[in-house]
Amino acid sequence: MAIKSIISATYFLLFLHLLLTWASCTKRNQVYVVELFGGHTSTGDHKTLHEVENRHHSFLLSVKDTEEAARASLIYSYKHTINGFAALLTPKEANKLSEMEGVVFVHKNQPRIYSLHTTRSWNFVGLYGSLNPWEEVFNHTNGDLLTRATYGKDIIVGMIDSGVWPDSKSFSDEGMDPVPTKWKGVCQNGTAFDSSQCNRKIIGARYYLHGYEGEYGPLNEKEDYKSARDKDGHGSHTASIVAGRAVGNASAIGGFAKGTAQGGAPLARLAIYKACWPIKGQSKHEGNVCTNIDILKAIDDAIGDGVDVISISIGYSAPISYEDDVIARGALHAVRNNIVVVCSAGNSGPSPHTLSNPAPWIITVGANTVDRSFLATVKLSNGTNIQGRSITPLHMENCFYPLVLATDVEHPGLPSTNSGYCLDNTLQPNKVRGKIVLCLRGQGERIKKGLEVKRAGGVGFILGNNKMNGNDVPSDPHFIPATGVSYENALKLIHYVHSTPNPMAQLLPGTTVLNTKPAPSMASFSSRGPNIVDPNILKPDITAPGVDILAAWTAEDGPTRMTMTFHDNRVVKYNIFSGTSMSCPHVAGAAVLLKAVHPTWSTAAIRSALITTAMTTDNTGNPLTDETGNPATPFAMGSGHFHPKRAADPGLVYDASYMDYLLYTCSLGVTQNFNITYDCPKSFPEPFELNYPSIQIHRLNYTKTVKRTVTNVGWSRSVYKFSAVSPKEYSIIATPNILKFNHVGQKMNFVITVTANLGQILTKHGPDKYYFGWYTWTHERHVVRSPVAVSIP
Ligand SMILES: *[C@@H]1O[C@H](CO)[C@@H](O)[C@H](O)[C@H]1NC(C)=O
Ligand SMILES: *[C@@H]1O[C@H](CO)[C@@H](O)[C@H](O)[C@H]1NC(C)=O
Ligand SMILES: *[C@@H]1O[C@H](CO)[C@@H](O)[C@H](O)[C@H]1NC(C)=O
Ligand SMILES: *[C@@H]1O[C@H](CO)[C@@H](O)[C@H](O)[C@H]1NC(C)=O
Ligand SMILES: *[C@@H]1O[C@H](CO)[C@@H](O)[C@H](O)[C@H]1NC(C)=O
Ligand SMILES: CC(=O)N[C@H]1CO[C@H](CO)[C@@H](O)[C@@H]1O
């Protein structure tokens, strides 16, 4: 599992266990976040910023004995998000500060574990370059958008992640223009990373370690670089998905597909904010973690440095209120600065209510497959072929070997809960030698199962999905000839072994297959709505490729992540990885191009353009499906699969300003928790009245009207006609149902009325069940479509 993050809630900072251990003489210092009156600082002026820091320092000075103690206790001074700071304080000092004039909140940390968004299963597969799925989408749809956007050359993307591998060809600055003059960031020195590592592609890099070291102690420098250099691979992967240069003739481990690896906006500039660090050997938090104070500081700096888009493939594992969530809070300040913030929806699907990053000022991205897979077939001696998937670079001799089930070759007496999984030291070598073993998923690291088969002398291994995994077959780089099969195929293999006197099989080498159908379809791991933080906002917004995505790696480690409990020294420069972590930077790349083409658009206009132009069909022309094979609902795919070219010309947009978001927080009654300099007016719109490009109505009581405003960004004189697709449970109408525009920039209001059918209102109130519809404004060249989700009590 990717970077897991601990972003303990906003002001609730991490207890510094280890600091206590090192410095127990300092009387139970703990991390507090202190927020001051005066809101954020809106200027980027250096003098003012310096004054802010001095002001933070002066507060500390008033509770600490000496100047030095005050300096030493300050962890982070926040300038562009909250007006406040993180510091080491004793409870007494904290108490004293909280009573001082000018201080709004003093909060001690309450750790919260955010689980991260690469994939629900931690190890993903490695492969050198081949066709980048992003490029495939681009080629079909995007002829001139890249040119119009000058490949994103003036746009700066802030990546909040695990750092970057600056030496990757994907981050070459060859032929690039000088760094945009608006850039105010720095290139922070550190281990194996100095300012010379920044160039005209990676224009800035910083790292944030205080929150992490406070929680876990000093960084183990064998496990990561104390700098913006990426050890994990995740940060290099996501950065190259947004803005990697085209790197041709890349070839995979074991000679897999060759091709070009390329990001969505290949000339965009990257600003790296490393906030995620490894924690090894803690089974519950396998992977990387990012702490709240580190993430908030990263966003704070990104705003001050002048980025245009922020891509965050990090989140809390469960819904968390906006005001407790540093990503939501930081993003609101970013949006105030007209920075588009794109976040992953999470990898906790397919159960409902699993979605993270649901704030309406964020673009929330689900993940889907692309039309490429890595087929690796199991050939049975009875002549039948069973399809599997693998990118294992090892081939089996061209002959049949006995096929056995793990359950039949294990040491006797294994508890049934551990049986069948090929866990460490569970197989009997005398029964495995020279054979192919079928092991089940569900327990243990997938790649380790192959290592266990290898240890016991097996010649090959088949990873069988359990029922829960269904068709979600991973393409793994195993250490022994191997393939993965679906649950259904695993049952077939078990049946074959049971019904055949001498079951034999051969594992054929894996091959890259393009144009697979149907594609895209939702990844089962992609987190699902409904949004339980606020049931008035439909989330996720959109879906993008997030399965088996090829992108840059660290060129130092193996394709399986270093946080695995086995060692993998098969160095790869490009790797295949899955998760909403990978889909998020695709949409961030699209946002870069839209910003380049439409520099005056608001962040809401960019989100709206992406949402209302998304595709809802797959490459068979049928509705995009989910893991069940049924049409995916907006709780899985949002408005559908992103379509950058259409998004560049959406016709109409649903705009919203920072002030609209403040009014929205007023309607939720949480504005004060954001400590923004804003007094809510006496009356404000209801939350569902935020001018969002989708509609969600929670517990519709007979009928509800929802006001929306569209802005014409298409043809000056244009007529849009309304149409709707509603389920039998309710109807959707619009008043007026024709919008006539005379000029670009013109705004028109309309009201959507959603009415439940009588039979439905009379039914008893049960668990909330949502029904989905759509409404569309259509002009000869533009289709502006919005999903509608309604629960009927
Ligand atoms: C995409 O376009 C590039 C440049 O036009 C071309 O070299 C490449 O082969 C195309 N890829 C596909 C999948 O069509
Ligand atoms: C960063 O490292 C470079 C090269 O090692 C050095 O020249 C430079 O002075 C360092 N900068 C800072 C601010 O330490
Ligand atoms: C492409 O890679 C092959 C080896 O995989 C190498 O022989 C060839 O020279 C490379 N071509 C270019 C243009 O770099
Ligand atoms: C071979 O075995 C598989 C699995 O039991 C079965 O589905 C298939 O029909 C068999 N093929 C033949 C030709 O008997
Ligand atoms: C639904 O609306 C009716 C009539 O306006 C009202 O009497 C009733 O209390 C409402 N029910 C709920 C659950 O809000
Ligand atoms: C809850 C609370 O006190 N919020 C404060 C946030 O900051 C502004 C000024 O910046 C105060 O007016 C609010 O009262």
Side-chain angles (χ1 to χ4, degrees):
M1 174 85 64
I3 298 173
K4 286 211 178 142
S5 58
I6 292 184
I7 307 170
S8 67
T10 304
Y11 313 90
F12 304 95
L13 294 187
L14 299 166
F15 291 98
L16 294 192
H17 299 302
L18 292 138
L19 275 186
L20 290 180
T21 334
W22 312 327
S24 45
C25 54
T26 58
K27 287 182 285 186
R28 304 189 58 78
N29 274 348
Q30 293 181 315
V31 175
Y32 287 82
V33 168
V34 178
E35 293 206 39
L36 307 175
F37 281 106
H40 52 80
T41 36
S42 49
T43 164
D45 179 311
H46 275 293
K47 187 157 162 276
T48 322
L49 295 179
H50 193 64
E51 280 165 12
V52 172
E53 197 155 336
N54 282 345
R55 185 155 170 255
H56 295 165
H57 177 65
S58 69
F59 274 97
L60 281 170
L61 203 53
S62 63
V63 297
K64 298 283 183 187
D65 299 336
T66 63
E67 171 83 27
E68 265 136 44
R71 291 257 171 240
S73 66
L74 181 64
I75 299 172
Y76 289 126
S77 181
Y78 299 104
K79 303 183 180 92
H80 306 278
T81 50
I82 62 173
N83 175 18
F85 55 89
L88 279 172
L89 301 170
T90 63
K92 212 170 144 190
E93 290 162 349
N95 196 35
K96 194 169 162 199
L97 266 176
S98 72
E99 283 163 7
M100 287 174 62
E101 197 174 330
V103 172
V104 184
F105 295 123
V106 179
H107 280 288
K108 194 170 68 178
N109 176 51
Q110 240 177 36
R112 273 174 206 272
I113 314 279
Y114 279 53
S115 81
L116 231 218
H117 291 167
T118 295
T119 164
R120 164 168 86 137
S121 31
W122 7 237
N123 52 346
F124 260 85
V125 296
L127 186 80
Y128 283 100
S130 84
L131 274 176
N132 188 330
W134 170 264
E135 190 192 9
E136 290 161 25
V137 170
F138 244 104
N139 275 18
H140 295 177
T141 60
N142 232 336
D144 66 332
L145 173 59
L146 272 172
T147 324
R148 281 169 70 202
T150 57
Y151 298 81
K153 78 181 177 73
D154 297 324
I155 307 296
I156 304 170
V157 190
M159 302 298 305
I160 300 183
D161 211 299
S162 67
V164 75
W165 189 261
D167 318 291
S168 168
K169 277 190 186 169
S170 291
F171 306 120
S172 156
D173 69 349
E174 200 185 319
M176 286 182 73
D177 288 347
V179 173
T181 50
K182 66 182 176 181
W183 175 244
K184 292 191 289 239
V186 301
C187 193
Q188 189 180 356
N189 277 353
T191 308
F193 197 107
D194 64 39
S195 42
S196 70
Q197 241 86 43
C198 289
N199 57 17
R200 284 163 294 173
K201 164 57 79 179
I202 297 173
I203 62 172
R206 301 180 188 252
Y207 66 96
Y208 305 89
L209 199 47
H210 295 310
Y212 172 87
E213 292 199 327
E215 178 71 3
Y216 299 101
L219 177 70
N220 177 346
E221 297 204 37
K222 288 201 185 98
E223 289 175 6
D224 205 345
Y225 298 98
K226 201 168 190 166
S227 70
R229 185 175 283 272
D230 182 19
K231 175 85 175 164
D232 181 84
H234 188 273
S236 307
H237 203 265
T238 54
S240 67
I241 290 171
V242 181
R245 302 299 297 275
V247 178
N249 197 27
S251 81
I253 191 168
F256 272 86
K258 277 191 183 183
T260 301
Q262 179 172 326
L267 294 185
R269 318 302 176 126
L270 289 166
I272 304 300
Y273 301 89
K274 178 174 176 180
C276 303
W277 305 90
I279 50 169
K280 211 165 177 171
Q282 298 193 20
S283 58
K284 222 181 140 192
H285 315 306
E286 200 60 60
N288 279 16
V289 295
C290 338
T291 66
N292 63 332
I293 60 170
D294 290 345
I295 289 177
L296 188 60
K297 188 59 183 166
I299 299 175
D300 200 83
D301 280 344
I303 295 170
D305 290 348
V307 306
D308 300 296
V309 173
I310 298 179
S311 183
I312 307 181
S313 294
I314 301 170
Y316 192 56
S317 59
I320 179 174
S321 71
Y322 302 144
E323 64 272 27
D324 285 345
D325 180 351
V326 280
I327 294 177
R329 290 200 53 182
L332 182 58
H333 291 281
V335 164
R336 178 172 51 79
N337 287 277
N338 212 26
I339 299 167
V340 180
V341 182
V342 187
C343 295
S344 43
N347 303 324
S348 309
S351 303
H353 307 290
T354 46
L355 185 113
S356 53
N357 297 319
W361 47 87
I362 285 172
I363 305 177
T364 313
V365 188
N368 53 261
T369 63
V370 294
D371 64 344
R372 175 181 64 188
S373 56
F374 305 98
L375 295 186
T377 302
V378 184
K379 196 170 159 187
L380 301 181
S381 55
N382 77 355
T384 294
N385 284 346
I386 304 271
Q387 211 177 68
R389 287 190 192 177
S390 181
I391 58 158
T392 300
L394 299 164
H395 298 173
M396 185 170 263
E397 294 282 321
N398 185 14
C399 54
F400 288 98
Y401 295 93
L403 175 63
V404 293
L405 308 180
T407 43
D408 295 336
V409 294
E410 289 166 343
H411 288 295
L414 212 61
S416 65
T417 49
N418 287 347
S419 176
Y421 298 112
C422 301
L423 302 179
D424 289 358
N425 298 312
T426 55
L427 300 180
Q428 296 192 66
N430 59 345
K431 294 192 171 176
V432 168
R433 200 160 298 122
K435 296 178 184 165
I436 298 170
V437 185
L438 174 68
C439 310
L440 290 182
R441 274 176 85 183
Q443 265 205 65
E445 294 168 11
R446 300 197 301 270
I447 305 252
K448 270 187 112 176
K449 296 168 190 282
L451 288 172
E452 170 63 7
V453 173
K454 193 177 175 193
R455 181 198 65 81
V459 293
F461 131 80
I462 301 169
L463 178 70
N465 273 3
N466 60 25
K467 197 167 182 180
M468 199 190 81
N469 307 130
N471 288 325
D472 193 1
V473 181
S475 308
D476 287 328
H478 293 284
F479 289 96
I480 173 174
T483 189
V485 299
S486 66
Y487 177 61
E488 195 186 325
N489 282 343
L491 292 181
K492 276 191 197 157
L493 290 171
I494 291 168
H495 177 259
Y496 171 71
V497 170
H498 285 157
S499 63
T500 312
N502 286 308
M504 305 277 279
Q506 182 186 352
L507 304 183
L508 302 181
T511 53
T512 304
V513 180
L514 296 175
N515 305 315
T516 57
K517 290 179 179 168
S521 68
M522 290 309 299
S524 66
F525 60 72
S526 189
S527 289
R528 306 298 153 97
N531 173 355
I532 62 171
V533 175
D534 177 11
N536 299 292
I537 301 291
L538 176 49
K539 288 277 178 172
D541 292 307
I542 202 155
T543 179
V547 176
D548 290 346
I549 304 302
L550 175 78
W553 207 241
T554 65
E556 187 178 70
D557 282 297
T560 48
R561 299 180 74 196
M562 44 151 303
T563 42
M564 293 292 108
T565 56
F566 54 88
H567 187 61
D568 186 354
N569 58 7
R570 303 171 296 176
V571 166
V572 294
K573 289 183 179 166
Y574 286 83
N575 199 8
I576 286 201
F577 229 56
S578 299
T580 55
S581 276
M582 281 67 242
S583 59
C584 163
H586 281 91
V587 173
V592 167
L593 301 177
L594 295 181
K595 255 201 117 106
V597 172
H598 302 289
T600 60
W601 280 12
S602 69
T603 62
I606 289 172
R607 178 176 39 246
S608 174
L610 286 161
I611 288 179
T612 62
T613 58
M615 295 183 283
T616 56
T617 51
D618 62 28
N619 61 4
T620 66
N622 293 310
L624 201 159
T625 52
D626 66 15
E627 66 288 342
T628 65
N630 293 316
T633 76
F635 285 167
M637 66 172 184
S639 63
H641 193 274
F642 84 142
H643 193 313
K645 184 181 182 185
R646 281 197 215 156
D649 183 19
L652 306 176
V653 293
Y654 293 78
D655 208 350
S657 64
Y658 174 61
M659 190 55 65
D660 292 327
Y661 297 129
L662 291 187
L663 289 169
Y664 167 79
T665 64
C666 291
S667 71
L668 297 184
V670 299
T671 312
Q672 71 284 1
N673 301 333
F674 282 76
N675 186 243
I676 294 157
T677 316
Y678 184 66
D679 289 324
C680 288
K682 289 227 164 56
S683 71
F684 34 76
E686 293 207 56
F688 63 82
E689 290 177 299
L690 178 66
N691 197 36
Y692 214 69
S694 58
I695 291 177
Q696 181 161 318
I697 298 172
H698 181 56
R699 297 186 184 161
L700 175 66
N701 185 7
Y702 181 53
T703 191
K704 193 149 192 164
T705 57
V706 182
K707 194 187 137 214
R708 289 288 189 261
T709 304
V710 282
T711 307
N712 181 17
V713 296
W715 297 4
S716 56
R717 297 177 70 82
S718 46
V719 177
Y720 284 81
K721 291 191 178 136
F722 177 85
S723 62
V725 177
S726 42
K728 66 182 190 318
E729 285 76 15
Y730 60 86
S731 68
I732 305 169
I733 61 162
T735 322
N737 61 11
I738 291 187
L739 302 176
K740 289 186 179 152
F741 292 91
N742 298 316
H743 59 88
V744 172
Q746 188 178 359
K747 288 181 187 291
M748 298 269 261
N749 297 330
F750 61 91
V751 167
I752 295 283
T753 304
V754 179
T755 307
N757 291 333
L758 198 57
Q760 297 298 324
I761 339 170
L762 295 178
T763 59
K764 276 209 201 97
H765 181 84
D768 289 320
K769 177 158 170 51
Y770 279 87
Y771 301 88
F772 304 97
W774 301 85
Y775 78 86
T776 307
W777 292 104
T778 309
H779 162 247
E780 49 196 282
R781 263 203 56 179
H782 300 108
V783 176
V784 187
R785 207 147 71 98
S786 296
V788 180
V790 175
S791 78
I792 294 167

